[in-house]
Each structure stands twice: as structure tokens, then as C-alpha cells.
Amino acid sequence: MEKGRNLRSVNTDGGVNLQFKLLSAIGIIIIVSGHCYHGGMELAYNWFPPYSYNLALFVFISGYFYKTDYEENIGKYIWKRTKRLLIPAYLWNIFYGGMVAFLGLFGFTIGAKPDLYNLFVMPFVDGEAFQYNLGSWFVYPLFLVCIINVLFRKFLKLIHLDNEFIVLIVYLAIGMIGINTAIENPTAINGIVKLFVRTMFFLPCYEFGRFYKAVLEKKDTLNNVAYFAIIFAVQLILLTFCENLEYTPSSFTNFNNGFVIPYISSIIAIAFWLRVSRLLVPAIGNSKLVRLIADNTYGIMVNQLVGFMCLKFVFYGLSCITSGSLFGDFNVASFKSSIWYYYLPNGLQQWAFVYLIFGLFVPILISIILNKICNIVHSSSYLKKI
């Protein structure tokens, strides 16, 4: 018991769960680096390929913080999730639709036409129409997961079957059906079906977090040597006997190892980073940098590609100013036509680390500016009332 108390005191500070703050920061770094050549570094990617677990880790964290109190006022909870997840995603989508139209005046062809369908329907069924905010596709299935979860739990409570094992089994069955649907009929994964299967896939990942918090966390006391030995042994078996472990949640494709392995690979990688974050907390403590990243994961998820674009604009501008003596091989045509064009000076992969920094901190800067504007507007409105 003393060991458990010591662990909690190390991993919390003023009610803040420092372990999960660090885990959130690690999670978003893994996601952003996955979009820019791994950020020019390796975060155990040879052992744990990022697309075999990256979004599952994020949903796991969301599930960990689910509270049964939400079931007492479902309407309030749904409205809270709507304000936190859905409305900002739609506002960003509208903004980037306007940005696509504006940049189109300067020869940029990135993104779809900003019509009513792409502004208000496409976010739910695909989420990648305007490209600059393509990371926001994740928000919509996560929103549905939150709503389905609270409604299902309320139903189980009404029939006196509110049990984490039941929820886990039901959600796993739903998730596996979703994956199997993509495997058996890949051409059907489009439109609203894509939204449904994404949501089905994330339901078990969400419950993994809740199940860990409610059932496993207090039993998570295995010593580090044995813990990591088991993780690496299982992962080595997966890497040896399975085809490429990575799948593509956004398009819901490449489930080459059936409908069970994706969840096993996710659980193993999550377990790895869960223990790593626990071990690092005593050394890192309540780091301002970690908190800055962890507290802005939503903005980073949505705006990371704009961060990359800002760096590419820097290269483009310097190339123009110096008449090509600097970065003369910068491909302007690709820059204006593909969100996935990355300019790496001299072909050096190390420049991917600079893309990672821009992908993290430009969105954070955007969030800070927006928060300051909102605070000013709120203060002005309050003063007028006085």
C-alpha cells in the first residue's frame, strides 16, 4: 500500500496527473512526427511502428479520464463534448475553407472546393477536404465515441449491468466487426460508413483507458524488468510473424493482420509508453514545456499541417529573396499543389526535426493568441455589463 501511495504522490501535482500529461505530450509528438519523416528521430519506432497505435493511444488517454458522474446528466455532458470537440472543429473547417479559397488566388491548388458540402457535411464523413486541417478528421469519431459510451453506460446502469468487463467485451466485439467490414468489403468504406467504422474501431481503445483506470491501475505494480521483458517479447513475436503492423485509421485501410492484431499491437505499445511516462515523471516533474504541449493537443492535432506550411513558406521566401542562391531547388509547383511536399535542404532527414518543431509550436502559438483574444472579448463584455 505504501508503494502505491508513493507512486501517486510522484505522478501527481496539485491534482494534475503528471504521468498522463507526459503521456499526452508523447502521444501528440508521435502523431505529428508521423506526418514528417518521424521528426528526424526515432521514438522506439523500430519496435513500435507509430501507425500501429498512435491514435489508439490518444483515445486511451481520453477514456482514462472518463467519469461515471457524467451519466448523471447526459445532456450536460453531450453539450460539453459538443463545445469542446465539435464546434471548434467546424469553425476551423470553415476557416480553412476560406483559406483554400484565398490561397487559390495565388495559384495554390491544395484542398477541395469550399462549397456547402465540404464545409458542413464532409467533416463528419471524411474530415480531410481542405487538407490544411486534415488532422481534425479524428475529432468526429472521438465525439461519437464519447456520446455512445455515456449512453451505453447509462443503459447498463438502468438494467443493473454496469460492469467494466461487459463494456470491454461489447466494445471489442463492435471494434472487430468494424475492422472486419473494412477487410471484407474495402470499397464500402466511404461516406458515412467511414465515420461509423472509425467510431467502431475507437470504442475499444476508449474503454482500454477507462478499464485501466477502474480495474488495472491499482494492480500495475510489476517490476520494470519483468514488465518490459513481457512487452518486448510479445512485440517481437508480433513483428516476426505478422505482416506490416501499421494500419491507416484515417482511410480505414491496411488491416493486413486481421481484426485482432491491431488491438494487440495498440495495447502493447500503450503499455510501453504508459510505463515509460511513469518512469520519466520523477525526473521531468511538472515541466512547463510538457504542460504546454499536453494542454494544446487539440490545436496541434488540427493545425499541425499549417505549422509545416509555415516552415515551407520560410524556405520559399528565402529562395525568392536570395534569387535561388539559398534553397534554389525548392519546388514551387509541388509546394502549391501538395500538402505532403516537404523540402529538406540537401536532402537531410534531420530537417524533419525542424518540421516537427513547427508542427508543434505554430499551433500552440495560434492557440495562445486565440485564447488571449477570447479573454479580451470576454473581459470587454463583462465590463459592459458592469
Side-chain angles (χ1 to χ4, degrees):
M1 184 63 69
E2 184 65 26
K3 182 178 180 181
R5 283 199 296 269
N6 289 340
L7 178 63
R8 285 192 292 272
S9 66
V10 167
N11 288 344
T12 60
D13 183 7
V16 177
N17 190 318
L18 298 182
Q19 180 187 358
F20 271 74
K21 284 293 183 183
L22 179 56
L23 189 61
S24 296
I26 291 172
I28 197 65
I29 289 171
I30 290 170
I31 287 173
V32 177
S33 67
H35 292 147
C36 58
Y37 301 102
H38 291 175
M41 58 183 181
E42 290 292 328
L43 291 172
Y45 291 153
N46 289 332
W47 276 92
F48 305 98
Y51 279 91
S52 69
Y53 71 91
N54 56 0
L55 290 175
L57 171 59
F58 239 75
V59 182
F60 169 88
I61 295 170
S62 297
Y64 178 88
F65 289 103
Y66 177 81
K67 299 177 182 178
T68 54
D69 294 347
Y70 298 149
E71 297 153 28
E72 302 305 316
N73 192 333
I74 293 179
K76 181 180 179 180
Y77 174 73
I78 292 176
W79 176 236
K80 183 179 178 181
R81 292 295 89 191
T82 301
K83 290 192 296 182
R84 175 69 182 87
L85 296 174
L86 213 55
I87 293 176
Y90 261 111
L91 291 176
W92 277 118
N93 196 62
I94 293 170
F95 171 81
Y96 283 116
M99 182 171 162
V100 166
F102 175 75
L103 290 178
L105 300 175
F106 301 92
F108 284 82
T109 58
I110 297 171
K113 180 182 177 182
D115 54 26
L116 291 177
Y117 178 80
N118 286 326
L119 285 170
F120 300 107
V121 179
M122 184 59 75
F124 251 106
V125 300
D126 184 80
E128 300 185 2
F130 299 134
Q131 296 289 291
Y132 298 100
N133 62 324
L134 59 80
S136 65
W137 73 262
F138 169 77
V139 172
Y140 302 93
L142 177 61
F143 171 78
L144 289 183
V145 165
C146 293
I147 305 311
I148 292 169
N149 176 68
V150 73
L151 291 174
F152 182 64
R153 287 178 175 276
K154 183 67 174 181
F155 169 72
L156 289 181
K157 186 172 288 187
L158 291 174
I159 61 175
H160 307 292
L161 287 175
D162 49 328
N163 181 284
E164 292 300 334
F165 287 93
I166 292 176
V167 177
L168 180 63
I169 292 170
V170 171
Y171 285 4
L172 271 172
I174 292 172
M176 290 177 184
I177 290 171
I179 295 175
N180 194 60
T181 300
I183 294 172
E184 296 293 330
N185 193 6
T187 59
I189 308 303
N190 53 66
I192 198 69
V193 175
K194 185 184 290 187
L195 173 64
F196 289 155
V197 292
R198 286 169 169 174
T199 304
M200 294 167 73
F201 173 73
F202 286 141
L203 270 171
C205 304
Y206 192 87
E207 175 55 18
F208 292 158
R210 175 60 193 165
F211 191 85
Y212 177 77
K213 175 70 175 291
V215 179
L216 298 179
E217 188 171 33
K218 55 182 174 288
K219 302 176 182 178
D220 186 5
T221 57
L222 188 64
N223 71 78
N224 294 323
V225 173
Y227 187 94
F228 285 117
I230 293 171
I231 285 176
F232 281 103
V234 174
Q235 188 68 6
L236 187 59
I237 292 171
L238 291 178
L239 292 169
T240 302
F241 295 102
C242 293
E243 199 174 340
N244 181 11
L245 288 175
E246 294 192 297
Y247 48 86
T248 311
S250 57
S251 60
F252 215 72
T253 56
N254 299 323
F255 292 100
N256 300 315
N257 299 294
F259 52 76
V260 176
I261 296 299
Y263 288 119
I264 296 177
S265 67
S266 295
I267 290 171
I268 296 301
I270 290 169
F272 172 76
W273 287 113
L274 194 62
R275 181 57 67 94
V276 167
S277 62
R278 177 192 292 184
L279 294 174
L280 289 176
V281 164
I284 295 176
N286 195 354
S287 165
K288 291 182 179 180
L289 178 60
V290 169
R291 291 287 297 273
L292 185 66
I293 296 173
D295 292 340
N296 288 281
T297 54
Y298 186 99
I300 294 170
M301 184 73 79
V302 174
N303 298 312
Q304 56 186 288
L305 273 297
V306 170
F308 300 157
M309 285 296 291
C310 286
L311 179 56
K312 286 182 275 188
F313 266 110
V314 171
F315 288 134
Y316 176 51
L318 290 173
S319 175
C320 293
I321 292 171
T322 62
S323 301
S325 59
L326 277 178
F327 315 127
D329 56 341
F330 185 89
N331 192 320
V332 178
S334 296
F335 169 55
K336 292 186 174 183
S337 62
S338 174
I339 196 72
W340 298 116
Y341 169 68
Y342 294 92
Y343 176 69
L344 302 172
N346 292 329
L348 292 174
Q349 291 285 329
Q350 289 84 346
W351 276 96
F353 183 75
V354 183
Y355 278 98
L356 175 62
I357 297 301
F358 271 70
L360 291 171
F361 290 101
V362 168
I364 289 175
L365 179 61
I366 292 171
S367 296
I368 291 172
I369 293 172
L370 288 177
N371 285 335
K372 287 187 178 295
I373 292 173
C374 289
N375 289 336
I376 292 172
V377 171
H378 182 267
S379 298
S380 299
S381 301
Y382 178 75
L383 290 173
K384 286 180 181 179
K385 290 179 182 179
I386 296 175

